[in-house]
Amino acid sequence: MSSSATGWINWLVSPGIFTYSFMQNAWLSGTIIAIVCGVAGFFTMLRGSAFAAHALPKIGFAGAAGAVWLSVNPLWGLSVFAVGGALGIGWLGKGARRDVIIGLILAFGLGTGALFLSFNNEYAAGAIALLFGQIVGVSTGEVIDTAVLAALCLALLVVLYRPLLFASVAPDNAEARGVSLRSIDIWFLVVIGIATAVTVPIVGALLSFSLLVGPAAAASYLTHRPSHAMMLSVAIALLSLWIGVALAYDTGWPVGFFVATLVVIAYAVARITAQWRVSRLSRVAPAE
Amino acid sequence: MNRILSFVFAPGFFSNEQVVNALWLGGVIAVVAGAVGVFTVLRGQSFAGHAMSDMGAAGAAGSLLAGGTAVTGFLSFSVIAGALVDLLGVRPRDRDVATGLVLTAVLGLGSLFLFFDTRVVGAPEMILFGSIFDSEPSLTPILSGLALLMLVLMLILYRPLVFSSLSAETAGARGVPVRLIGFIYMLLLAVSVGETALIVGSLLSTALLIGPASTALRLTSRIGRAIPLAALIGLLCTWLGILLAYDSYYWPPAGRGWPVSFFITGLVLALYLASRMWPQGAPTRALAD
Amino acid sequence: MTSQTFSTSPVLTVSHVGMKFLNRSVLEDIELTIGAGEFIGLIGPNGAGKSTLLRILLGLQKPTRGTVEILGSPVRRGNRYIGYVPQKIHLDPATPLSGRDLAGLGLDGHRYGIAFFNRKRHAQIDEALEMVDARHLADAPVGRLSGGEQQRLLIAQALLTHPQILLLDEPLSNLDIKSAREVVRLVARIQREHGVTVILVAHDMNPLIDVMDRIIYLAQGRAAIGPVDVVVQSDVLSTLYGYPVEVIRTRNRILVVGGQDSGIEDFSVTGGEHCHGTEVLST
Ligand SMILES: Nc1ncnc2c1ncn2[C@@H]1O[C@H](COP(=O)(O)OP(=O)(O)O)[C@@H](O)[C@H]1O
Ligand SMILES: [Mg+2]
C-alpha cells in the first residue's frame, strides 16, 4: 500500500523536475501566474467576464504568431495583442452588446492570427506551441518579465479593489456614488489582458482562461467572504498549476490539458461540497 | 472592362471546381449562420455559440485521432455541447460561468487530442482555421440539405422563437413553451455552428454567426427584415472573402495566398464597424442591456 | 399642474425638465418642487420615464432641457446626500459577499484601494444595518438571501452616507405582498425618524396610500403632483394620458383603467409595451 504510494510520488516527482533550470523557471513563473489568475479570477467570476477571459488569450495568440513571423519575442506580440484586444473590447463595448463585441474582435484577431501563421514559411512550431502551452515556455529572462507584469497586474487590482467590487456587484449604486463604470471596466479588461499575456506561454492560449474562471468559481461555493474567496481561489490555482506542471513534465503532454482538468475537478468538488453542506444544514436547523 | 474583370476575378476563378464548391458551401453556411445568428445576438448567447465551435473542434480532433472524419466530430460534439449549455443555466451570469466551465472541460480534452493530432502536420490548423477550398465534394449535398432543413425549421418556429427571444416571460405567460423552443433553438445553433466550423474553421465561425446578425440589427430593428439582411451580409462577406483569397495567391510575402478566414473576419468586422456609424432609427436599449 | 402643498423648504426643484432619446420624447416639461421630509410616491405605467427621472436627479443622465436643483445646488454625480436604491440587482447565489460587505460598499465602495478592518467603519455599517432591521444579516451570504432581505441591505447601503434624500426605484416590484408591506413600513419609519425625503417609485400606488404625503403621477412624459385625492382623478389622469382613462375606487384599492389601440405590425426590438384594447394601466 505505502510502497505503491511512494511509487506514485516517485513517478510524479521524477528526476530533474526541480533541478533543471527550465523547470525552475516553470515553477517560478507558474507560481506567479497562479497568484495573479487566482485574484483576477475572483473579479472575472463576479463580473461574469468568462467570455472576455476566454477571448483575450486567443487574440494574444494572434499577436504571438505575428511576433514569430517578425522574429521578435512572442511575449511582446502576446502582450500587445491581449492588451490591445482588451482596450478594443472596452472601447467598442459602449452602447452595444458586450458578448457580440468580444466575439467579433476575437474572430478578427484569429483571422489575423491565421494570416500571420500563413506568412511563416515553415511550420510555425513556436506559435502552435503557444496554443497548447509548454513547460519550457518561459526562459530565465522571461521569468523577470512575467514577475514585472504580474506585479503590475496585482498593483492595479489593489488600487481598483473597492470601486471594482462595487461596480461588479451593484453597478447602478456604484455609478450613483460617482464610480465611472466605463473606466473601471476598461481597466479591468487591461488587467485580464496582462494576466493572459503571462499565462499563455505556459498554460497555452486555448486553456489559459480556465485559470481565470475555474478556481474563483470553485472558491465562491466554499466561502462568502471576498478575502477568503480570493485566497482560496489562489490556493486552487496554485495546486492545479503545480500538479499540472509536474504531470506535463512526466508525460510530455500539454500543461493546459492538466490544468483545465484539475480546475474542473476542483469546481465539481466545491459545488458538491457546498450542496452537501446546505442540505445537511437544512436538516439540522429546518427553521432558519 | 475585360481587363478590370480579369483583374478582379483572377483567371480561372469560376472554372476552378474547388472555388465553385467553396462559393456554394460558403454561401450556404453564411445564409444559415446569418439567420440563426440574429437570434443568437438577441438572446445574448454569443459566448455559447462560440463555445460550441470550440467544442466541435475538440470533437473533430478526437474523431481524426480515432481515424474518423472531421465532420462527424464537429457535428456530434457541438450538438452535445448545445444540449449541455442549455441545461446548465438560464440566468446570464450563471450561464457565462457555466459555459466557461463546460468549455474548460471539453476543450481540455480537445487540446489533448489536437496535441496528438499535431503529429499529422497541419491537422490543428485545418481544424482551427478551416479549409474551405479543400472540403470533400461528396459532403456538399449533405451539408446543403442540412442547411435547408434548418431554414425550414426556423420558418416553422419563427413566431414563437421571436416571441420567446424578445421577452421570455411574456411569451411563457401566453403559453409559448419557452424551454422547449430554447432547446430546439440551441440544437439549431449547434448544427449551424458545427457546419460553419467545419468549413471556415472553428476559431472563425463566430464571425459569421454574430457579425452579420449584429450588423443587420444595427440597421433595422425589425426582426423580419434583420434575418434576410444578415443572411445577405454574410453571403457578401463570404464570397468577397473567397474572391480575395483566390486573388491573393500571388500576393507577398509568401506567395501562397492569404487565408480566407482573414478576409472574411476582416470584412465582417469592417461592416459591423461601418454600421455603427449608421444613425440609429430605433433605440437599441434592448440590445445594450 | 396641481397645487403644491408642503410647509417645509424645498430640497429638490425640477424646472422645465425634458428628456429625449433620439427624437423620442420620454419626459416633457416636468415641474416639481419637493419639501424636506416628504414621502413621495412616483407612480406611472411601465416605460413612463420613472427611472429616467431618478437618473436625472442622480446626475447620471443629463436632461435635454431644463434644470434640477438639489439641496440648493445643481445636480452632480456622486452626491453623498442622496441615497439610491436601484431597480434591479442580480446577485448570483454563490456571490462571495456577506451582508456587511454589500452594505459597506455604500460607505467607501467608490474609493480606490483596499478597505482595511477598522472598528469605526464596522460600527457605522452595523448602525445602518440596525436601521433596516438587518443586523442579523451582517454575516449571511447575500446571494442566498430573499429578495426582501437583499432589498433591506441595499437600503442600508444607501443610508450609510446619512443622505437627506432617498431615491428608491421599484423596491417592491419583486416582493410578495407581505415583504412589500414591510419594506414600505421600514422606509416610512426612516423618513419619519431621520427626516429623510423619500421618493419611492412604484407602478402600483396602493401599498403606498397610507404613507405617501404626495404622489407624482407620470404618464406620456408628463407629470402631475399633489395629494392622492387630488391627482388620482379621472379628469386629471385623462389630461395626462391624452385619452380618456377612468379611476375606479373599489373597497380600499384604486384602479386606473384606460382604452387605447395600437396594433402589432411586426415584432420589434424597440421595447415598450404594446397595448391592446382596454386594460388596467396602473393600480
Ligand atoms: N439610455 C436610453 N436610451 C434610449 N432609450 C431609453 C434610455 N433610457 C430609457 N429609455 C426609454 O425611455 C423610456 C422610459 O424608460 P424608464 O425611465 O426606464 O421607464 P420606467 O422606469 O418608468 O419603466 C422607455 O421607453 C425606455 O425605452
Ligand atoms: Mg424603471
Side-chain angles (χ1 to χ4, degrees), chain C residues 23-267:
Chain C
N23 305 328
R24 205 165 58 94
S25 188
V26 173
L27 297 175
E28 284 168 21
D29 205 29
I30 305 286
E31 289 278 340
L32 305 166
T33 313
I34 291 170
E38 275 196 283
F39 192 121
I40 305 278
L42 175 52
I43 312 293
N46 262 337
K50 306 182 294 290
S51 300
T52 305
L53 184 57
L54 284 202
R55 288 177 64 82
I56 289 172
L57 299 183
L58 285 161
L60 295 178
Q61 224 142 24
K62 235 181 102 56
T64 3
R65 220 161 84 58
T67 54
V68 179
E69 219 175 73
I70 290 180
L71 303 168
S73 49
V75 281
R76 63 186 164 86
R77 271 181 56 179
N79 188 338
R80 56 171 297 154
Y81 297 111
I82 308 181
Y84 174 50
V85 181
Q87 182 157 6
K88 53 174 190 256
I89 177 168
H90 169 77
L91 291 171
D92 195 281
T95 303
L97 285 183
S98 65
R100 187 180 283 116
D101 293 324
L102 181 63
L105 288 170
L107 190 61
D108 54 8
H110 60 293
R111 299 232 178 92
Y112 290 110
I114 293 176
F116 291 101
F117 181 81
N118 166 331
R119 190 155 294 146
K120 185 164 156 252
R121 180 172 183 276
H122 211 80
Q124 268 175 303
I125 299 172
D126 283 356
E127 186 195 345
L129 289 175
E130 205 82 64
M131 278 167 78
V132 297
D133 304 327
R135 185 67 186 72
H136 62 292
L137 302 178
D139 293 308
V142 288
R144 301 209 179 278
L145 298 179
S146 73
E149 289 168 328
Q150 289 182 355
Q151 197 66 254
R152 274 189 279 166
L153 289 176
L154 289 174
I155 296 173
Q157 186 190 72
L159 290 174
L160 264 164
T161 49
H162 299 291
Q164 297 182 20
I165 302 174
L166 191 58
L167 308 178
L168 303 103
D169 199 348
E170 309 232 12
L172 313 179
S173 62
N174 294 319
L175 304 185
D176 57 75
I177 298 175
K178 185 168 153 284
S179 337
R181 202 175 299 141
E182 270 169 27
V183 168
V184 170
R185 205 177 299 144
L186 177 76
V187 173
R189 201 188 71 211
I190 291 165
Q191 174 236 357
R192 269 196 323 273
E193 290 179 3
H194 300 268
V196 177
T197 310
V198 170
I199 301 182
L200 192 152
V201 175
H203 54 260
D204 179 3
M205 70 183 90
N206 287 300
L208 303 177
I209 300 274
D210 296 335
V211 296
M212 272 192 288
D213 294 315
R214 288 191 297 159
I215 186 173
I216 303 175
Y217 201 103
L218 207 58
Q220 307 287 322
R222 293 183 291 255
I225 184 168
V228 177
D229 293 335
V230 178
V231 171
V232 187
Q233 295 294 346
S234 298
D235 55 338
V236 176
L237 295 190
S238 296
T239 320
L240 215 54
Y241 276 102
Y243 53 83
V245 299
E246 207 174 323
V247 174
I248 301 170
R249 289 184 157 78
T250 57
R251 280 184 233 135
N252 39 23
R253 281 181 69 78
I254 303 179
L255 286 168
V256 181
V257 183
Q260 183 198 23
D261 286 319
S262 93
I264 305 175
E265 298 153 39
D266 184 7
F267 292 102

Side-chain angles (χ1 to χ4, degrees), chain A:
Chain A
M1 186 70 204
S2 78
S3 81
S4 89
T6 43
W8 272 102
I9 288 171
N10 278 340
W11 178 77
L12 191 63
V13 187
S14 42
I17 199 165
F18 296 121
T19 49
Y20 282 125
S21 76
F22 73 86
M23 282 311 288
Q24 287 170 351
N25 293 343
W27 291 121
L28 207 56
S29 50
T31 305
I32 297 171
I33 289 166
I35 294 169
V36 169
C37 287
V39 178
F42 173 78
F43 291 102
T44 309
M45 185 253 336
L46 210 56
R47 298 175 69 76
S49 300
F51 195 15
H54 171 80
L56 290 175
K58 287 181 171 177
I59 296 169
F61 166 74
V68 169
W69 171 50
L70 295 171
S71 318
V72 279
N73 186 345
L75 191 59
W76 287 111
L78 197 58
S79 311
V80 169
F81 267 56
V83 173
L87 291 173
I89 291 168
W91 175 59
L92 285 172
K94 192 182 177 215
R97 276 208 155 161
R98 163 59 59 89
D99 59 341
V100 165
I101 298 295
I102 297 175
L104 282 175
I105 293 189
L106 167 60
F108 179 64
L110 285 165
T112 319
L115 182 69
F116 290 146
L117 278 182
S118 83
F119 284 171
N120 285 298
N121 268 319
E122 70 275 16
Y123 178 69
I128 291 294
L130 281 174
L131 270 185
F132 301 106
Q134 47 182 357
I135 34 178
V136 293
V138 183
S139 67
T140 310
E142 283 164 355
V143 175
I144 312 274
D145 298 345
T146 303
V148 170
L149 288 174
L152 181 65
C153 224
L154 290 176
L156 275 174
L157 283 174
V158 166
V159 172
L160 293 178
Y161 182 80
R162 276 184 291 184
L164 182 55
L165 191 65
F166 202 178
S168 309
V169 184
D172 292 328
N173 313 40
E175 201 185 10
R177 287 304 306 279
V179 174
S180 161
L181 298 183
R182 195 159 153 65
S183 53
I184 289 286
D185 185 47
I186 292 180
W187 277 113
F188 178 67
L189 283 167
V190 168
V191 167
I192 302 264
I194 303 174
T196 289
V198 294
T199 311
V200 165
I202 288 191
V203 186
L206 286 179
L207 285 166
S208 76
F209 78 100
S210 63
L211 271 183
L212 281 169
V213 175
S220 74
Y221 279 100
L222 301 176
T223 169
H224 61 274
R225 312 304 310 266
S227 52
H228 297 185
M230 257 177 269
M231 283 189 281
L232 212 63
S233 164
V234 168
I236 295 170
L238 273 174
L239 215 61
S240 313
L241 214 107
W242 284 340
I243 300 177
V245 166
L247 288 172
Y249 177 80
D250 295 329
T251 57
W253 295 2
V255 187
F257 162 68
F258 294 113
V259 169
T261 308
L262 290 165
V263 157
V264 169
I265 291 172
Y267 175 79
V269 169
R271 216 177 149 156
I272 292 166
T273 311
Q275 230 134 47
W276 173 75
R277 239 176 18 191
V278 166
S279 68
R280 206 186 48 160
L281 275 183
S282 60
R283 226 177 305 139
V284 173
E288 260 287 306

Side-chain angles (χ1 to χ4, degrees), chain B residues 207-241:
Chain B
L208 283 178
L209 184 70
I210 58 181
S214 48
T215 307
L217 284 168
R218 283 252 155 200
L219 302 180
T220 170
S221 60
R222 294 277 164 85
I223 293 177
R225 281 183 215 159
I227 290 175
L229 191 60
L232 194 71
I233 294 171
L235 194 69
L236 202 76
C237 291
T238 309
W239 282 354
L240 214 57

